[in-house]
Amino acid sequence: MGLRDRLLGWPVYRQLTGTDPLGRGAAACSNRSAELTARTEGADRVARSVCPYCAVGCGQRVFVTDDQVTQIEGDPDSPISRGRLCPKGAASRSLVTSPLRQTTVRYRRPYGTEWEDLDLDTALDMIADRVLAARAETWEDVDAEGRPLNRTLGIASLGGATLDNEENYLIKKLFTAMGALQIENQARI
Amino acid sequence: MANADVIVIQGSNMAEAHPVGFQWVMEAKRRGAKVFHVDPRFTRTSAVADAYLPIRAGTDIALLGAVVNHILSNELDFREYVLAYTNAATIVSDDFVDAEDADGLFSGFDPATASYVQDSWQYAGHERDSGSGHTARERETAAGLRHESHGAPVSRQVQRDDTLQHPRCVYQILKRHFARYTPEMVERVCGIPREKFLELARAWTENSGRERTGCLIYSVGWTQHTVGVQYIRTGAIIQLLLGNVGRPGGGVMALRGHASIQGSTDIPTLFNLLPGYLPMPHHAQHPDFDAWVDSIRHPGQKGFWGGARAYAASLLKAYWGDAATPENDFGYGHLPRLTGDHGTYQQVLNMIDGKVKGYFLLGQNPAVGSAHGRAQRLGMANLDWLVVRDLFMIESATFWQRGPEVATGEIVPEQCATEVFFLPAASHVEKEGTFTQTQRLLQWREKAVDPPGDARSELWFFYHLGRRIREKLAGSTLPRDRALLDLTWDYPTHGRLAEPDAEAVLREINGYDTVSGRPLSTFTQARDDGTTAIGCWIYTGVYADGVNQAARRRPGHEQDWVAAEWGWAWPANRRMLYNRASADPQGRPWSERKRYVWWDADAGRWTGRDVPDFEVTKPPSYRPPEGATGPAALAGDDPFIMQSDGKGWLYAPSGVLDGPLPTHYEPAESPVRNPLYGQQANPTRKRYDHPVNSTNPSPPQQHDEVFPYVFTVSRLTEHHTAGGMSRTVAPLAELQPEMFVEVSPELATLAGLTHLGWAHLITARAAIEARVLVTDRLAPLTVDGRVIQQLWLPYHFGFEGLVTGDSANDLFGITLDPNVLIQESKIGTCDVRPGRRPTGAALRELVQDYRTRAGIVPGVLPPAVTPGVPVEPPGSTGDGEGNP
Ligand code: SF4
C-alpha cells in the first residue's frame, strides 16, 4: 500500500475532507465493516407478524434463512408502531430460538419423581382417553328439578392471552360440545 | 390519542408496560397536550408527565369523584353534549336511596346474599320491569362481562327534565352523591395535596369541550380491585360530562396487557360467555332457546339487540351445521348450563377439594400468575391429570418437583398423584392466525417457519384432539355424545404436520351463507332461519368478499391517521366507537379542530374519516314514532346505539352490580378506616370462605396492626406476566435478573432494611423474600394525619427459568370484583422484615405465627357488611334469581 492509499484510508483524513465531518458514518468505516452485510439482507423470506407480548400489537418482520429465524425487526409500515419495538418485542428472536425451549413431549406419571419421554401421538391418545373418562365420571345430565345441565365440572382449562382468535374459537367450540364449562383465560385475571 | 389536549394516565405505567404505544402520548405532548400521571409509585411514565400525583393505592374513586364534583359544582360540564347524549336529564325512581344517605349502602341491599335488588335504582316508572331485580346470580356468573358489547336494558320511554333541576334527575343525584368528594377529602383519603388535585381538575376541564378533548388511560392498575369496574365507571362519568367520548383525542383507553387478551374476551375462553358476548345459558334462567334469546334481545325494547336471535341461531349453526335446524332450536339443547360461579378461582378451590379431575393449561402459568399461588399449586397437586402446553418448562408444570410446597413438605412427589403431560407449543412465528390488540384491531400473522420437534399450535392440538375423541365415540348412542358427534369439525389441513387451515377457521368466525357458501360482509346479514352460520357475529366482515381483511397491510405513511386499511377492527372496521358523538345533535362537527364524523345533508348520509357508528342514512332530525322498538326507536341524535336508551350512562340503573354510582370503598385489605362511610369495603365483593383462603384484618376489625403496610405489584418493561416468555429469554433475563422490593428511605429506616440487602414480606397466605431497593420513587403518604408506607414489587418471578425468585402473587388472598370476577391483586397489606425468609417447615410456622396474632380462623372471612352499618331490608328480596 502506497503512502497515498494509506492517507486516503486514514479515517481522520476522510473525516476532514469527505462528506462526514462528524465521523459518524462513511468516514468511520473500516474495510471490514464496509464488507459486512446485515443478516436481513440475505434472508430467503420475510414473514409479516405481530409482537406476542403486550396488547399494543407492534408490527414485526421475521427474517428467515435456511428455515431458521435469523432476525425479528419492527415493521416500519405499521401505523401503530412505526417500526419500533420495545425490549421485549426486540428480544422476540431470542424467545423463539431460545435453547431453553422444550421441543419434545415430557411425561410425569402419578407419584413419579422424574420426567419421562413420551411419543406425541401416544400422549394425544392418552389425553383423549382421560378426557372421556373424566367426562363420563362427572357427567351431569339434569339438575334436581330435571332441567338439563349437559355438562361436566370434572374438566377445567386456563388459557393464556397469546392464543390466536382461531385457536380460542376451536378451544371453545370443542369444550362446549364436550359439556366442559370451566374454560377460563388470562382475560379473567 | 395523539389528538388529545390533555392525557390522564391512572392505573397504568404506560411508558414501561406499553412502551411503543406510549409514543402516541409523547406525540400528543409534542403537539401541546398536558400529561398527568397518577400512581402510587413514581415511574418512567411520571418522569415525562407534566405532573405526577402520588396516590394511596385503592383510592382512585375518591380522586375521580372529586373531579366529578369539581365539574358539577362549577358547572364546567359540556352542557350541550351532556343534555343531548347522556342520561343526565332522566328522572330516577322515588324509591332510590343513595349510599350517601345510608352510610355506604344503596337501597335494595339484601344481607342474606350480600347483593342488591335493583328495583329501586330504576328510572321513574320502570321499577317493576327494568333492570335485573335481584343480582346475586349475575354476580355468580360475572354477567357484567356481557356488557362489553352492549348496555343493559331499559324497558321504555323515560321521563326527562331538560332544565336538569328536578331533584331526582340523574344530574342532581350525581351532584349530591359526589358533594362530599372535595379537595380536602382527596387529601384525607388519597394523600394527594389539594393544590395538586386542583391542577389536575383544572387541566382536565380546561382542555375539554367543543374545541378540545382529553383522553383517559388505564390498565390493570384499575381492574384488579374489588371495585375495579366502578373505577372505570368514574372515569367514564368524567369523560361523558366533559364531552370526551366518541371524539378524536377523547375516550377511555383500556390498555390490555397481552397480545390477544381482547380477542380472548371477544371469542371467549371464559366460562360465562359464548362468542360475541352471548351469555352461556343458565339452567334456570334459560330453559329453552326462546327464553335464552329473549333474555339477550329484550323484545319490544330500543336499540340494536333485536338481531340477537339471528346471532345466536347463526352461532349454533356454525357449531352444529346440518344437525342445527329451526325445528330443533339449532341444537340449543346441546349447550352446557351454568348453575353459578364456575370461574378460575372457584375451580382452584374445587381442585383442592378433589372435585376436578383434569386441567388444561394453555400458555398460562397460574402457579406464578394467579393470586394465591399456594392455593394454585395445592390445587394442581390434587388432580388426576394435568396437561401443560407451553414453550418452556414453567412453574405450573414442575410444581410437584421443585415448587415451594415441596420445600415446606406440603407436596411430596412420591405422594402426589397428579399425572402431568407437558406438550411443547408453537411460537407466534411458527403458526398463522390473528391477534386482537387493545383497540379491537385484528392483525393477521404470517407463518415464518415450522415449529421444532413435537411443538404444535393450539389449533393443531385441539383439532386433532377433537378428531380423536370423535373417533373414539363413533357409534355411541349416548345422548351426551350427540353434541360431539354432530359438531362440524372438518377443517382442511396442510403440510407435513397436518396443520389445520387457520384461514378456514377465520372464515367460519366471519360467517357464511349456508346455501351459497359465500362469506358474509356484515352482521346485519345474519338470519335466524338457519341460512347463515357465524362463529362470532361481532367479527363478521373480517373475511368479507372472501378476503382476509385482517391481513391488510397498507403502509401507515400511505394512509391518513385513521389508517383504516391496516388490519381490521370490530365492529365493521370502525376505529372509534360511538363516533356519532363527534358531531353535534344537528350532525355538524362540534368544531373544525375535532371534526371526525358528520351528516352530509346533500348526500343524505353520515360521512367522515371513519366508518360512521350509526345507521348511515338516519338523519339527525329523525324522531322515533310512538311505540317503535329496536334500532327504529333510537333518535337521530342518540349516538350511544348499543345502549338501550341511546344515551351514555352517568347513572347506571342496572348492569353494574355494586351500585348505580361509584362509591369509595377501601380495598378488602387496608390499614385505613373508610373516611367516607361506615361501610369499609365493597359490600358485594365476591368472597370465598374456603379454609385455604384468608383476608388480613382491616379496621374496624381488631389486629390490623399486624399487617401495617400496603403493597402493590406491577410490571417491568423487560418481563412479561408470569415470566414464562421472559425469564426464559437470555437478553431479558440479563436486563432484570432478580426479584426485588422497592421501599421508601423512611420505611427502610423504620423496618431496618438496607439497600441491596434482603427483606421478606409476610401476609396471612405466605412469606416471600426479595432484594431491597431503597428509593424515593415510593414516597410515604400522609393520610388523615397518619403516615402510610407503600411497597412495590414486580410479579414476574418464580422458581423456573434463567432467573428465579419468589412470586409476589403468593402474598395475595382471593377476593374478587362482583361484576367480572377479577381478583384484587393490586393491593394488599403485609409486614416486612429484614433478612431472608425461613426455609422448610419453618416458613409455614412464621406465617402461622402471624395468622395467630391477627386472629385469623381458617374459612372465616371478615363480614361483607361492616358491623354497625344499618341495613334496610329491601322491599322484595326474591330468591336471588333475578327478574324473569
Ligand atoms: S414491542 Fe413492546 S410495546 Fe410493542 S407489542 Fe411488543 S411488548 Fe408491546
Side-chain angles (χ1 to χ4, degrees):
Chain A
M1 200 188 284
L3 184 61
R4 190 183 139 77
D5 284 349
R6 299 248 307 259
L7 183 66
L8 289 179
W10 188 37
V12 174
Y13 175 82
R14 284 186 288 156
Q15 184 179 343
L16 293 175
T17 59
T19 55
D20 180 23
L22 296 175
R24 287 172 165 185
C29 273
S30 67
N31 285 342
R32 193 180 115 67
S33 63
E35 279 162 19
L36 289 177
T37 56
R39 57 181 168 243
T40 51
E41 271 172 36
D44 299 337
R45 57 180 185 274
V46 183
R48 312 248 274 175
S49 192
V50 179
C51 176
Y53 289 101
C54 91
V56 172
C58 295
Q60 293 190 331
R61 290 186 175 177
V62 183
F63 295 87
V64 180
T65 304
D66 294 335
D67 283 329
Q68 300 294 322
V69 174
T70 52
Q71 177 66 327
I72 297 180
E73 290 188 350
D75 185 349
D77 287 347
S78 166
I80 300 165
S81 55
R82 303 191 287 193
R84 294 153 166 95
L85 293 175
C86 81
K88 286 194 290 285
S92 299
R93 185 186 66 98
S94 300
L95 169 77
V96 303
T97 60
S98 167
L100 258 58
R101 268 188 76 180
Q102 294 291 325
T103 57
T104 59
V105 175
R106 308 292 280 150
Y107 175 67
R108 186 256 174 177
R109 68 181 64 242
Y111 313 110
T113 54
E114 294 302 330
W115 289 108
E116 301 171 33
D117 290 330
L118 191 66
D119 173 73
L120 175 60
D121 196 60
T122 313
L124 195 63
D125 210 57
M126 288 169 76
I127 294 167
D129 286 341
R130 277 152 187 71
V131 166
L132 287 174
R135 185 168 169 270
E137 214 178 319
T138 57
W139 187 258
E140 297 173 88
D141 255 328
V142 290
D143 65 10
E145 291 175 37
R147 294 174 293 200
L149 290 177
N150 295 333
R151 71 176 190 195
T152 166
L153 297 183
I155 298 171
S157 172
L158 184 62
T162 312
L163 301 179
D164 297 345
N165 291 315
E166 295 75 14
E167 295 179 324
N168 271 322
Y169 182 75
L170 285 201
I171 294 168
K172 186 71 175 186
K173 185 175 177 180
L174 182 66
F175 277 133
T176 301
M178 229 187 249
L181 269 180
Q182 300 176 128
I183 307 311
E184 288 274 85
N185 185 280
Q186 169 71 35
R188 176 82 64 209
I189 297 164
Chain B
M1 205 181 278
N3 295 299
D5 300 295
V6 60
I7 295 181
V8 180
I9 307 173
Q10 190 170 343
S12 160
N13 173 11
M14 189 178 183
E16 292 179 66
H18 298 84
V20 180
F22 194 69
Q23 69 178 303
W24 299 106
V25 175
M26 298 312 287
E27 178 73 28
K29 193 179 176 203
R30 196 182 59 78
R31 298 184 196 176
K34 285 203 90 171
V35 179
F36 285 81
H37 188 222
V38 185
D39 203 276
R41 187 174 67 121
F42 186 91
T43 65
R44 289 180 176 87
T45 307
S46 329
V48 292
D50 292 291
Y52 164 66
L53 284 71
I55 187 172
R56 178 165 71 89
T59 64
D60 302 50
I61 290 177
L63 172 67
L64 296 169
V67 176
V68 175
N69 187 21
H70 178 85
I71 295 168
L72 296 179
S73 347
N74 299 299
E75 302 218 16
L76 297 171
D77 54 286
F78 185 0
R79 187 56 58 89
E80 230 182 306
Y81 182 105
V82 166
L83 208 52
Y85 295 165
T86 76
N87 65 356
T90 308
I91 313 289
V92 171
S93 170
D94 275 340
D95 301 341
F96 173 65
V97 181
D98 191 86
E100 284 296 287
D101 305 319
D103 219 9
L105 294 183
F106 292 95
S107 50
F109 188 78
D110 169 23
T113 56
S115 58
Y116 284 104
V117 181
Q118 291 180 338
D119 298 350
S120 62
W121 303 0
Q122 301 310 305
Y123 294 150
H126 294 207
E127 293 84 349
R128 295 284 155 261
D129 53 7
S130 275
S132 303
H134 205 303
T135 56
R137 179 192 289 156
E138 288 198 23
R139 176 178 55 203
E140 298 310 288
T141 57
L145 266 176
R146 266 186 257 160
H147 303 303
E148 185 137 345
S149 67
H150 63 288
V154 174
S155 57
R156 64 197 116 81
Q157 293 302 333
V158 300
Q159 301 168 31
R160 285 174 64 88
D161 171 25
D162 283 348
T163 68
L164 303 184
Q165 296 309 311
H166 190 292
R168 305 205 67 82
C169 78
V170 163
Y171 190 88
Q172 293 296 335
I173 289 176
L174 197 63
K175 199 166 168 177
R176 289 196 299 272
H177 180 78
F178 286 114
R180 288 194 302 137
Y181 291 63
T182 57
E184 294 68 32
M185 191 59 88
V186 169
E187 200 162 283
R188 263 186 78 191
V189 178
C190 314
I192 296 173
R194 65 193 80 180
E195 311 75 57
K196 277 269 177 199
F197 162 76
L198 285 170
E199 193 186 338
L200 169 75
R202 286 196 193 111
W204 207 338
T205 49
E206 283 165 9
N207 287 293
S208 303
R210 201 173 266 281
E211 296 284 342
R212 306 179 79 75
T213 52
C215 177
L216 177 62
I217 296 172
Y218 75 89
S219 189
V220 291
W222 270 13
T223 59
Q224 292 174 338
H225 288 277
T226 45
V227 261
V229 168
Q230 296 283 13
Y231 277 29
I232 301 157
R233 285 246 332 117
T234 329
I237 290 170
I238 295 172
Q239 291 296 66
L240 283 170
L241 287 172
L242 296 178
N244 282 333
V245 182
R247 303 178 61 207
V252 182
M253 179 76 183
L255 290 173
R256 309 213 63 175
H258 309 248
S260 196
I261 199 148
Q262 180 63 48
S264 311
T265 14
D266 302 337
I267 299 183
T269 32
L270 295 171
F271 81 90
N272 57 326
L273 292 177
L274 286 162
Y277 301 97
L278 298 171
M280 188 63 97
H282 187 277
H283 74 134
Q285 225 171 344
H286 308 125
D288 53 43
F289 182 69
D290 289 322
W292 180 53
V293 164
D294 286 348
S295 78
I296 311 165
R297 71 190 181 118
H298 300 282
Q301 298 195 357
K302 291 166 95 177
F304 264 85
W305 272 84
R309 194 180 175 88
Y311 313 145
S314 299
L315 171 67
L316 299 182
K317 193 75 190 161
Y319 275 12
W320 285 295
D322 291 342
T325 63
E327 292 70 42
N328 70 3
D329 283 344
F330 303 99
Y332 176 75
H334 286 337
L335 289 174
R337 309 299 156 95
L338 307 173
T339 47
D341 169 14
H342 310 293
T344 184
Y345 288 100
Q346 182 64 61
Q347 289 168 25
V348 166
L349 300 176
N350 287 349
M351 288 175 202
I352 292 175
D353 295 342
K355 295 180 191 161
V356 179
K357 308 280 171 203
Y359 194 18
F360 288 89
L361 292 176
L362 315 168
Q364 184 71 2
N365 190 9
V368 177
S370 289
H372 204 330
R374 178 166 163 270
Q376 305 288 333
R377 296 183 293 265
L378 291 176
M380 291 191 283
N382 201 30
L383 294 163
D384 288 357
W385 49 269
L386 170 70
V387 177
V388 179
R389 294 189 37 77
D390 215 287
L391 301 171
F392 299 96
M393 201 47 101
I394 53 170
E395 288 81 358
S396 298
T398 65
F399 66 91
W400 54 272
Q401 192 179 32
R402 296 154 54 89
E405 288 69 32
V406 177
T408 57
E410 295 169 279
I411 297 176
V412 179
E414 291 83 355
Q415 292 166 15
C416 171
T418 308
E419 184 183 31
V420 185
F421 296 88
F422 180 94
L423 275 68
S427 77
H428 76 295
V429 300
E430 294 153 4
K431 59 187 183 185
E432 51 186 14
T434 51
F435 286 152
T436 305
Q437 58 79 275
T438 197
Q439 295 153 297
R440 308 179 321 283
L441 184 75
L442 284 82
Q443 301 183 95
W444 179 263
R445 295 185 331 273
E446 297 165 358
K447 178 174 145 177
V449 292
D450 271 340
D454 292 340
R456 297 290 184 276
S457 67
E458 301 317 300
L459 207 64
W460 185 96
F461 177 76
F462 279 93
Y463 173 66
H464 290 287
L465 179 68
R467 203 175 45 76
R468 208 164 289 218
I469 285 175
R470 279 154 50 91
E471 277 166 17
K472 287 180 191 281
L473 292 177
S476 164
T477 54
L478 287 172
R480 70 160 186 252
D481 295 333
R482 252 346 319 144
L484 276 165
L485 293 172
D486 287 347
L487 200 64
T488 57
W489 204 253
D490 45 6
Y491 302 99
T493 61
H494 53 71
R496 176 175 65 85
L497 304 177
E499 176 74 11
D501 182 1
E503 278 212 359
V505 180
L506 185 62
R507 184 176 166 281
E508 179 174 321
I509 291 170
N510 174 85
Y512 54 91
D513 183 310
T514 57
V515 182
S516 67
R518 288 175 48 139
L520 305 174
S521 47
T522 149
F523 59 75
T524 54
Q525 296 168 331
R527 288 183 294 267
D528 62 5
D529 60 359
T531 57
T532 53
I534 304 173
C536 180
W537 68 275
I538 57 176
Y539 280 10
T540 304
V542 69
Y543 214 77
D545 309 318
V547 173
N548 184 345
Q549 308 285 341
R552 294 183 304 168
R553 280 197 166 82
R554 184 156 167 222
H557 58 84
E558 291 177 14
Q559 307 190 54
D560 67 5
W561 57 271
V562 178
E565 290 174 59
W566 183 273
W568 185 88
W570 74 266
N573 202 29
R574 266 178 207 117
R575 304 296 163 128
M576 193 198 295
L577 290 179
Y578 300 127
N579 56 36
R580 158 71 180 88
S582 69
D584 69 10
Q586 291 74 39
R588 303 164 303 204
W590 288 108
S591 62
E592 259 324 290
R593 210 169 158 251
K594 299 290 170 178
R595 170 186 279 272
Y596 195 66
V597 161
W598 57 90
W599 174 253
D600 180 341
D602 297 336
R605 55 193 300 124
W606 292 92
T607 183
R609 306 200 153 110
D610 197 352
V611 180
D613 196 0
F614 210 64
E615 287 171 275
V616 75
T617 57
K618 182 187 266 186
S621 57
Y622 172 83
R623 292 295 172 273
E626 194 66 33
T629 61
L634 293 175
D637 57 0
D638 278 340
F640 293 95
I641 58 169
M642 297 313 272
Q643 294 286 96
S644 38
D645 53 359
K647 306 291 185 206
W649 280 9
L650 298 167
Y651 172 100
S654 60
V656 193
L657 307 186
D658 43 359
L661 291 170
T663 305
H664 170 72
Y665 298 115
E666 288 291 320
E669 292 183 354
S670 169
V672 174
R673 180 77 177 101
N674 190 344
L676 276 151
Y677 308 96
Q679 179 61 33
Q680 171 75 4
N682 186 347
T684 65
R685 66 196 184 274
K686 175 71 182 167
R687 301 146 73 245
Y688 293 100
D689 46 3
H690 186 279
V692 81
N693 197 24
S694 53
T695 305
N696 296 347
S698 303
Q701 277 182 291
Q702 285 190 309
H703 308 306
D704 60 296
E705 72 287 348
V706 175
F707 301 106
Y709 308 119
V710 172
F711 74 98
T712 182
V713 306
S714 64
R715 281 189 183 180
L716 298 164
T717 302
E718 296 80 6
H719 282 304
H720 190 58
T721 65
M725 287 165 67
S726 63
R727 283 185 292 108
T728 47
V729 177
L732 296 174
E734 198 175 323
L735 286 166
Q736 286 290 0
E738 202 162 19
M739 175 66 181
F740 61 99
V741 55
E742 292 193 6
V743 298
S744 68
E746 293 81 356
L747 177 58
T749 307
L750 197 67
L753 311 176
T754 41
H755 185 58
L756 303 183
W758 288 92
H760 55 290
L761 291 83
I762 307 107
T763 69
R765 279 74 55 180
I768 67 160
E769 63 186 15
R771 290 294 190 123
V772 176
L773 182 71
V774 180
T775 168
D776 45 20
R777 291 199 283 249
L778 278 162
L781 296 175
T782 305
V783 172
D784 235 353
R786 183 176 153 203
V787 176
I788 299 291
Q789 293 285 355
Q790 309 192 88
L791 299 83
W792 176 89
L793 307 123
Y795 73 97
H796 309 291
F797 285 87
F799 55 86
E800 294 287 354
L802 292 167
V803 291
T804 59
D806 283 355
S807 302
N809 275 327
D810 285 11
L811 294 173
F812 290 107
I814 304 173
T815 312
L816 315 181
D817 176 283
N819 293 291
V820 289
L821 302 182
I822 290 179
Q823 75 289 337
E824 184 154 87
S825 56
K826 278 291 174 235
I827 180 161
T829 56
C830 69
D831 192 18
V832 63
R833 293 180 170 191
R836 305 194 68 155
R837 62 167 167 77
T839 56
L843 180 61
R844 291 313 300 168
E845 282 161 23
L846 172 70
V847 176
Q848 186 52 49
D849 173 54
Y850 271 84
R851 291 169 62 94
T852 308
R853 285 200 282 129
I856 287 168
V857 179
V860 179
L861 297 176
V865 178
T866 309
V869 173
V871 182
E872 288 287 326
S876 76
T877 51
D879 53 1
E881 300 271 292
N883 273 353

